[in-house]
Amino acid sequence: MSTQPPAPPEAPAPVLLPEERRRVILEQLGLRGRVLATDLCRMLQVSEDTIRRDLRDLDEAGLLKRVHGGALPLTQGSVGRAFGVPQAGKQAIARIAAGLIRPGQVVFLDGGTTLLEVTRSLPADLRATIITPSPAVAVALADYGGLEVHLVGGRLHPGSLTVVGAETVEALRRVRADLCLLGVCSLHAEVGISTAYAEEATTKRAMLESAAETVAVLTADKLGTVSPFVVAPVSRLTTLVTEASGTEAQLAPFHKLPLRLLSA
């Protein structure tokens, strides 16, 4: 009588570096709307003290709100500094991106800290129509007398602080924009554009599909990275604006693509 051989023991989960752990924590926060320390300990196979330190560091970086037993997405103030990215780098690429907008154009202007910097780099006398899913961007444009600013409707997402949902997507699809300046969480030459939130991915996709040209605006640390929800392949972009400080390993895959690359 034959017997089944015993099942091989499960391989231990790979040990993650602190930066990798924190990326996983932010991805889980985007997926679930909250994270519990006990769940993260079990998932990442680290101690509760380690998770507490990670949550504390992410809270201090302005990327989540630490609460008793876990963390919640920020409900305000997430337009502050991004984790580990110098503000000067964002300002430099924002100036390049702002210079791509031509008078008289209809432009989608996405949300996020880098796109908020774009609003501060626009010429004071620019005349154009700006359509945005970001309340923060819309408010920042209020003092530009030559701009017609449209904030699309929808439900405010607590993580991205942009509006999302069917109403948002329908409003964006009714527009034929000349240009889309797209905030990008992650950009990989093979995987494409991706983001941490499913609903935000749908909003970004609607803007990209309704624009004649799309410019990805991102800091160099986001090159070669992947987030859970794919927006579109890189082939849907016409221009990439990023930092000149990006390494050759980060930039080389994009030099091979039919894509205009501008760096600051």
Side-chain angles (χ1 to χ4, degrees), residues 76-226:
Q76 59 183 8
S78 66
V79 294
R81 60 197 172 110
F83 189 57
V85 179
Q87 195 69 12
K90 292 188 177 187
Q91 291 169 346
I93 61 177
R95 286 191 289 270
I96 292 180
L100 298 177
I101 300 176
R102 299 288 175 253
Q105 285 188 321
V106 175
V107 180
F108 289 136
L109 199 57
D110 199 4
T113 55
T114 305
L115 273 296
L116 194 61
E117 284 297 331
V118 171
T119 68
R120 298 171 182 141
S121 300
L122 295 174
D125 60 349
L126 177 66
R127 304 189 69 83
T129 298
I130 306 294
I131 300 165
T132 181
S134 168
V137 166
V139 170
L141 294 173
D143 291 334
Y144 286 84
L147 297 181
E148 183 179 322
V149 181
H150 298 259
L151 175 62
V152 295
R155 175 175 55 82
L156 185 67
H157 191 286
S160 66
L161 289 188
T162 56
V163 293
V164 296
E167 181 183 351
T168 306
V169 171
E170 178 61 25
L172 294 169
R173 286 178 175 166
R174 287 198 298 264
V175 178
R176 285 294 173 264
D178 299 296
L179 180 69
C180 172
L181 296 185
L182 194 71
V184 176
C185 299
S186 299
L187 186 66
H188 191 281
E190 296 178 4
V191 177
I193 309 158
S194 57
T195 188
Y197 308 115
E199 289 184 299
E200 185 186 27
T202 304
T203 301
K204 290 179 183 293
R205 193 177 304 117
M207 286 191 288
L208 184 150
E209 292 175 348
S210 297
E213 295 183 52
T214 298
V215 178
V217 186
L218 67 157
T219 49
D221 61 304
K222 297 176 181 178
L223 294 170
T225 66
V226 178

Side-chain angles (χ1 to χ4, degrees), residues 24-77:
V24 170
I25 291 170
L26 292 174
E27 290 172 355
Q28 290 298 310
L29 187 61
L31 286 168
R32 304 175 186 277
R34 66 170 184 164
V35 289
L36 299 177
T38 52
D39 291 342
L40 293 172
C41 291
R42 187 163 50 250
M43 175 187 299
L44 298 171
Q45 297 189 15
V46 294
S47 70
E48 194 166 338
D49 284 342
T50 297
I51 292 299
R52 277 200 294 263
R53 285 195 296 272
D54 287 340
L55 295 179
R56 181 197 62 210
D57 290 344
L58 290 168
D59 183 286
E60 291 175 354
L63 294 176
L64 52 72
K65 176 64 176 175
R66 187 182 174 199
V67 296
H68 180 69
L72 296 171
L74 291 178
T75 56
Q76 59 183 8

